[in-house]
Amino acid sequence: MKNLRFYSHGKLLITAEYLVLDGAQALALPTKYGQDLTVFPSENGEIYWKSIDVNGDVWMEEHFAISRIFNQEIVETDSDYLKTLLSILRAAHEAKPDFFSKAKGFYIETRLEFPRLWGLGTSSTLINNIAQWVEVDAFWLLDASFGGSGYDIACAQRDTPILYTKTKNGACVVELTFKPKFSEYLYFVYLNQKQSSKAGIAKYREYQGDLKSKQSDINAITEQLLIADTLEKFEELLEQHETVIASVIGMPKVKKMYFDDFDGVVKSLGAWGGDFVLVTSKKNPKAYFKAKGFDTVLAYDEIIL
């Protein structure tokens, strides 16, 4: 058997954070950085798994009998990484029982092109790669293992911006041409901490107001962002978006918390309080953010496909 290689793109969610879970339209952008998975066949009845980070260092190394996937064997000393991996593989086995039960063994190596803490989709790119390998539906595999809206899976599979909507009948994905003529003034800044999506979602679920009206507001903002022809209009829409989400999750805007004196817009992305923010600035803002301890400042073209 020959070696097999699979690849998935990372993602950045530009609009509809949290509300995308309940059907709001989301603008999402696949990134130039992703993760690959290479499968080498073996004959020893085991899976040997090695995960390598962007610096070439091994961050996970596990080996286990293939039978553990389909006999649901529980070992208390398993690492959290292995428990997570097994949960994904067991879900894949449910969809394709013969795949692992008839397998003789595998050596598998994954490689990340971005730091794990960046929040660009270490899990979603892994799930999509495993889905490609086992030949099961990636959205189903996400639901059966991690859960979530699925926009990250849609980004993993594409190399163009997308408009994503989660519906009762599954994912609705529209590929877009989205490259604002003022993209040279758009930057992405990493806030030096990986935010817990689960914690953010739990906060969102506490909201007791009218979610339908908030979804309508976000849908309108997203549609207008797609056709905004000036930086000033784009910034105005980002500010409106921040106001809507702040009202839903009861958290202060990230600019007010950290960057009140910044001459430009700062918009949270994904789970508020961590990961990346989108920044607008007509002059290179790297010096400003580095002076505040935020060293990862990426221009639009550095990170977005």
Side-chain angles (χ1 to χ4, degrees), residues 257-305:
M257 284 194 294
Y258 302 124
F259 312 114
D260 210 21
D261 60 340
F262 179 68
D263 184 19
V265 172
V266 182
K267 184 198 176 297
S268 290
L269 305 177
W272 275 31
D275 300 345
F276 279 86
V277 292
L278 169 62
V279 167
T280 67
S281 180
K282 286 194 172 180
K283 63 178 183 180
N284 192 317
K286 291 187 178 182
Y288 170 89
F289 286 103
K290 288 191 175 185
K292 288 184 173 286
F294 301 97
D295 293 331
T296 302
V297 181
L298 302 174
Y300 188 95
D301 284 343
E302 285 183 87
I303 187 170
I304 302 302
L305 274 171

Side-chain angles (χ1 to χ4, degrees), residues 173-187:
V173 185
V174 179
E175 297 185 359
L176 304 170
T177 299
F178 177 79
K179 175 80 181 289
K181 59 185 180 182
F182 43 81
S183 61
E184 64 187 293
Y185 303 133
L186 304 181
Y187 299 84

